[in-house]
Amino acid sequence: KHLARMKELEAMQTKFDENSSYSTRHHKLHLRKAQRSGISVRLSKGKINVVYPQILNPHSKILQTAVRKGIERALRLEAKQYLPDKVKEFAEKHEFKYNKLTLKNIKSRWGSCSRKNNINLSIHLMRLPDHLIDYVILHELVHTVHHNHSAKFWKMLNNITGGSKVLDKEFKKYRISIY
């Protein structure tokens, strides 16, 4: 069953090629064939430049993996520029205390908060609209007070966001993986 599900998910994945139009907040994907022996992935001037050998099938797994790595590099860069300031701003505004913020290529969840109040955020948050990024950050900051999803947790989050259940439902429409 698991193998069949994995094949199904792979079939759903976007196949990037020279005609693909994909952008992060500040980078646009550009794929180009060239006479070369290997794949090159570089971030430069708002572009994710992927150059690959002419003989390589654009839908090959190796190229698709390289493209996704390039997109993840762009997301990481954008996350480093945006998320720490946002977390600090909300923590100060709502008087939350957190220990450490870590940005990770987490593909199973948008964020987490440890018992030591260390906050982990997925770089894939950068693919969400601003109000949902804010919601996830506030969700994790509330966990610095309530380390569970108790009624007290939801009440505090709702008081801050003014509609936590609606926002929670909205962001579940998004996938963490790049499809």
Side-chain angles (χ1 to χ4, degrees):
K1 282 183 182 180
H2 186 68
L3 288 174
R5 178 71 179 138
M6 292 302 292
K7 281 189 179 202
E8 188 181 309
L9 287 172
E10 282 179 18
M12 286 174 37
Q13 281 191 331
T14 301
K15 302 291 188 225
F16 297 102
D17 60 29
E18 291 177 344
N19 299 315
S20 296
S21 176
Y22 186 89
S23 297
T24 63
R25 287 175 176 236
H26 304 293
H27 293 84
K28 186 166 176 48
L29 178 63
H30 291 274
L31 271 87
R32 185 171 53 87
K33 287 181 185 181
Q35 262 189 310
R36 59 178 306 124
S37 59
I39 300 170
S40 167
V41 181
R42 289 202 169 88
L43 299 182
S44 176
K45 298 178 183 173
K47 294 180 182 175
I48 305 166
N49 291 305
V50 181
V51 184
Y52 63 98
Q54 289 176 329
I55 61 167
L56 191 61
N57 178 339
H59 294 156
S60 68
K61 192 166 189 159
I62 191 168
L63 180 59
Q64 295 302 309
T65 300
V67 169
R68 282 178 170 69
K69 294 274 186 215
I71 291 169
E72 289 167 357
R73 264 200 270 164
L75 291 172
R76 181 176 301 284
L77 180 66
E78 293 172 15
K80 284 180 181 179
Q81 294 169 346
Y82 183 79
L83 294 175
D85 290 341
K86 214 46 162 155
V87 172
K88 185 178 179 193
E89 173 191 331
F90 284 142
E92 289 173 358
K93 180 178 179 182
H94 299 287
E95 299 180 356
F96 289 111
K97 303 276 186 250
Y98 65 96
N99 184 30
K100 183 172 79 170
L101 172 66
T102 306
L103 305 175
K104 297 181 177 182
N105 188 13
I106 305 169
K107 295 178 184 170
S108 58
R109 57 180 57 190
W110 297 104
S112 64
C113 178
S114 73
R115 282 266 174 213
K116 293 180 180 178
N117 293 340
N118 293 324
I119 294 177
N120 295 302
L121 295 176
S122 173
I123 61 171
H124 295 277
L125 280 172
M126 299 309 297
R127 296 183 7 249
L128 297 177
D130 286 349
H131 71 285
L132 293 180
I133 293 173
D134 294 351
Y135 170 73
V136 172
I137 291 169
L138 289 166
H139 183 108
E140 299 312 330
L141 285 169
V142 170
H143 277 309
T144 64
V145 177
H146 301 286
H147 292 281
N148 53 40
H149 288 117
S150 65
K152 289 179 183 178
F153 168 87
W154 287 110
K155 183 178 180 184
M156 178 181 267
L157 184 58
N158 196 55
N159 287 341
I160 293 168
T161 64
S164 60
K165 291 290 185 183
V166 172
L167 290 166
D168 191 57
K169 193 173 185 178
E170 182 183 349
F171 98 85
K172 287 184 178 172
K173 295 177 189 174
Y174 292 86
R175 292 179 182 253
I176 296 175
S177 298
I178 301 168
Y179 279 98

